[in-house]
Amino acid sequence: MYEETVHGRRYETGDGVREIRLLRPRSVDDRSTGTQPGGEPVGDRRRADQREVDLREVAFAAGVVAGASPVLTNPWSSREYRLGRFEPPRRVRVVEVGCLDGSARVLFDDTRQEAIERYKAVVEEPLTTVTAGGDHRPGYDCVRCVLVDCCPAVPSMPGLLGVSASTEPRRTWSVSTGADNAACPARAYFRSLFLPGDRSVEETPATRRGRAVHHWIEQRHRAIPHRGCRAPDVPGSTRSWTSGGWSVEGKEARLGVQMIGDHSLICPIRGLTDEATLLPEHLIVVFDPEANALVVAKADLLYRDTAGWTLRETKSRRAPGHPGFTTFPQLALAVLLSAGDVYAEHGTRLRVELERLTSTGPILTGVEVDDPAVRARAQRKVTSLAEGWFADTDYPTKPGKACRDCPFTRWCPDARTEPS
């Protein structure tokens, strides 16, 4: 037994028109995919103005509205639903509404029969596949799963975060969450509420170039059959180019082309056999029962060769920066995952690498994951990022320097808009 539900504002006219309004955090003219509480993007990573409407989502909503009864009880409760009367509508409408500005867009407006036919044509086959089950797919939704503590696809690592919060509601944590909280607890809280942020504050020319470089390399790593990146595999123009919806121009475009070319010199795919496994932008999910938290990390590239698994983080910055945990806290979590035998095979632990693409050339650094001193430093860094967030209940603002690149100042009563 399973139930199909659509959550939104429900309306019905006296002449048989039934409408559901799907609420979007942003404007419907600027369909942002938003971010997870951990700072990771939700859904498509492309820019909002390039994202198309998900036709399966629309067909599903139209089909449910056409043939379902309204839920009268709390839809989030684990108890059986109590349903209202159902009278077949004459017409079905699905409308999305932007909570940021009240904008609206009609996604479906047709007869009940057409809604049902659309559902059958677009939704039934993938829905059957979903309900039939299959492989485990760990992700953010695991935080709501009652079986996460015994799931074979989610490793359990007691004490990973070094905090005790087992009596608190289960939450999701990532390095980005900890970094946001360290900068300003209110900032982390606003992000967890999926509040629309001001992209222009976060997206400087340098960050756009970094994301474009990252996406360009990711797409090369996803190519089938696998092929190591080569020097000619760069954008065709050094004046302006686009990747993943991020456009760069001028000196940032030139630097981005150089970085992509430099990556080819240390691309990990070079020399790998066809049997090697490549997982670009792979989500790693671990459960810490002592913190009662789902710990999520997205590896830029996770690959397996004859020596086992390797996690590589790639950073593109003008200056290389010190390859330590303060500059790159993601490495600290990676070291702890290696120590916990996540992705360990045949007695070989997960290896960790840092690739830095800079204005003066590429730098590849291996992390000594077996060194007790390195592990201790990694634990201190992860715990320092986690303990403040887990202990906080009020999420106070920290006005000042953190306001300069905060995308949520419009929602913050204490934000400083003047230079500090």
Side-chain angles (χ1 to χ4, degrees):
M1 292 286 294
Y2 68 92
E3 295 163 311
E4 300 173 11
T5 59
V6 177
H7 300 281
R9 306 299 298 175
R10 305 173 304 196
Y11 298 89
E12 192 164 3
T13 65
D15 60 349
V17 178
R18 179 182 285 189
E19 177 178 306
I20 189 163
R21 298 181 182 178
L22 308 178
L23 304 182
R24 309 299 187 192
R26 296 180 179 269
S27 169
V28 300
D29 299 322
D30 182 29
R31 287 267 325 259
S32 171
T33 54
T35 55
Q36 294 279 10
E40 306 292 351
V42 175
D44 200 329
R45 292 185 53 184
R46 290 177 292 172
R47 289 292 299 270
D49 54 4
Q50 293 189 344
R51 183 185 177 193
E52 298 178 355
V53 172
D54 188 335
L55 298 180
R56 291 171 299 181
E57 178 188 11
V58 177
F60 180 85
V64 171
V65 172
S69 300
V71 177
L72 302 181
T73 50
N74 179 7
W76 306 107
S77 171
S78 59
R79 297 180 180 178
E80 185 177 352
Y81 290 156
R82 183 165 64 87
L83 304 178
R85 291 188 307 165
F86 172 69
E87 294 183 6
R90 175 181 60 84
R91 195 169 189 84
V92 172
R93 284 169 53 87
V94 179
V95 181
E96 62 175 357
V97 177
C99 295
L100 185 64
D101 58 2
S103 56
R105 176 164 54 171
V106 177
L107 302 178
F108 182 90
D109 185 1
D110 214 318
T111 64
R112 176 175 182 265
Q113 185 60 34
E114 176 60 27
I116 294 174
E117 291 299 325
R118 184 80 61 88
Y119 174 93
K120 290 180 178 180
V122 179
V123 179
E124 272 195 339
E125 183 176 346
L127 186 63
T128 300
T129 302
V130 170
T131 56
D135 296 335
H136 296 89
R137 295 184 180 180
Y140 289 98
D141 289 339
C142 294
V143 73
R144 296 192 296 268
C145 180
V146 296
L147 302 177
V148 68
D149 57 344
C150 59
C151 178
V154 180
S156 180
M157 292 185 62
L160 170 62
L161 299 181
V163 298
S164 178
S166 58
T167 60
E168 299 296 323
R170 185 175 300 156
R171 292 182 281 178
T172 302
W173 186 89
S174 73
V175 169
S176 297
T177 303
D180 271 346
N181 189 80
C184 175
R187 180 171 177 168
Y189 182 63
F190 291 152
R191 199 181 297 277
S192 73
L193 296 178
F194 301 101
L195 289 178
D198 184 356
R199 254 197 204 91
S200 63
V201 176
E202 290 185 304
E203 288 193 359
T204 64
T207 59
R208 286 197 297 272
R209 182 254 305 151
R211 289 171 180 170
V213 167
H214 197 96
H215 184 268
W216 186 280
I217 294 173
E218 175 194 340
Q219 293 304 107
R220 296 301 174 275
H221 289 173
R222 290 189 184 278
I224 300 295
H226 303 319
R227 189 188 71 180
C229 297
R230 303 174 304 171
D233 296 336
V234 298
S237 172
T238 58
R239 294 182 178 180
S240 66
W241 53 277
T242 300
S243 184
W246 288 287
S247 298
V248 286
E249 300 177 347
K251 62 181 181 181
E252 295 295 350
R254 293 192 296 274
L255 179 58
V257 170
Q258 175 206 311
M259 289 177 168
I260 294 172
D262 287 346
H263 164 76
S264 67
L265 301 175
I266 52 176
C267 177
I269 303 177
R270 297 177 60 155
L272 294 183
T273 64
D274 293 338
E275 290 73 29
T277 303
L278 300 177
L279 302 174
E281 292 297 308
H282 184 68
L283 204 62
I284 301 175
V285 179
V286 177
F287 181 62
D288 182 350
E290 292 185 6
N292 195 24
L294 193 74
V295 181
V296 179
K298 179 169 282 188
D300 291 337
L301 178 65
L302 191 66
Y303 67 94
R304 179 174 59 184
D305 55 16
T306 55
W309 286 97
T310 300
L311 184 155
R312 179 177 288 201
E313 284 291 317
T314 300
K315 303 298 178 184
S316 54
R317 302 182 178 185
R318 288 182 176 275
H322 188 273
F325 299 145
T326 300
T327 309
F328 305 106
Q330 298 90 341
L331 296 179
L333 181 58
V335 168
L336 298 185
L337 294 177
S338 177
D341 289 335
V342 176
Y343 286 99
E345 284 190 353
H346 310 299
T348 302
R349 285 197 170 94
L350 173 72
R351 294 169 294 177
V352 178
E353 299 174 338
L354 172 64
E355 174 182 344
R356 288 172 288 168
L357 303 176
T358 76
S359 59
T360 56
I363 306 172
L364 181 62
T365 306
V367 182
E368 298 293 337
V369 295
D370 292 322
D371 188 332
V374 172
R375 291 190 192 176
R377 290 199 301 272
Q379 185 68 71
R380 287 195 297 271
K381 182 60 181 179
V382 169
T383 300
S384 69
L385 289 174
E387 58 187 357
W389 184 74
F390 277 89
D392 220 329
T393 56
D394 298 325
Y395 306 103
T397 59
K398 192 187 292 185
K401 186 172 66 173
C403 298
R404 296 175 184 173
D405 61 350
C406 179
F408 306 110
T409 53
R410 76 167 76 183
W411 312 110
C412 180
D414 302 319
R416 290 185 183 175
T417 57
E418 298 297 328
S420 58

